[in-house]
Amino acid sequence: MRRTYHDLIVWQRAIRLAKEAYAISEGFPSAERFGLSSQMRRSAVSVASNIAEGSSRGTKREFIQFLNIARGSLAELETQITIAEELGLISDAKQIRALTDEIFGLLNGLIKSMRR
């Protein structure tokens, strides 16, 4: 049975973001395996997971709460990307940054529309 969140563009983009975060962090040194790499992966997975969980809850209020949590996880990931760049672990973050920007916009729009 297909879940309704599968149809949400924001959830689809969040899945792509998680894949990007995994791909980027794959090249990190092994010393970062339990550090920044793990943090980035957890943050990215949390974005899609919270969208899915919120949409599966019983009320609009709960959905909005989980969308806000997803937005917080997205902000964490954005910060971790910046740290990775500053440490020289990522040389080109344009693609993942564009995706985070898109997801921020989609989340903000969905939250705003649900509050009406």
Side-chain angles (χ1 to χ4, degrees):
M1 184 163 117
R2 189 160 176 82
R3 307 287 182 246
T4 57
Y5 62 85
H6 290 193
D7 296 327
L8 295 172
I9 301 292
V10 69
W11 179 82
Q12 294 169 12
R13 295 300 191 279
I15 293 295
R16 195 164 95 204
L17 179 69
K19 291 165 59 176
E20 287 285 328
Y22 267 76
I24 284 174
S25 63
E26 186 69 32
F28 287 6
S30 59
E32 285 301 327
R33 189 166 144 210
F34 298 109
L36 194 53
S37 175
S38 177
Q39 282 290 114
M40 285 179 67
R41 289 174 175 198
R42 283 195 308 259
S43 295
V45 167
S46 180
V47 176
S49 297
N50 278 293
I51 294 166
E53 184 173 355
S55 74
S56 299
R57 294 290 179 129
T59 67
K60 186 191 297 188
R61 184 173 173 251
E62 286 179 299
F63 191 14
I64 292 169
Q65 177 184 357
F66 278 89
L67 291 174
N68 280 311
I69 294 168
R71 193 168 50 184
S73 295
L74 187 59
E76 284 184 46
L77 178 60
E78 188 176 46
T79 299
Q80 293 153 1
I81 291 166
T82 300
I83 292 168
E85 282 180 305
E86 294 287 324
L87 293 173
L89 300 173
I90 300 174
S91 59
D92 183 12
K94 277 187 236 175
Q95 187 172 345
I96 196 165
R97 282 199 181 280
L99 195 49
T100 59
D101 288 345
E102 179 185 11
I103 294 169
F104 265 120
L106 290 168
L107 283 170
N108 288 336
L110 184 54
I111 291 167
K112 191 181 289 187
S113 74
M114 292 190 73
R115 285 187 175 149
R116 291 186 196 135

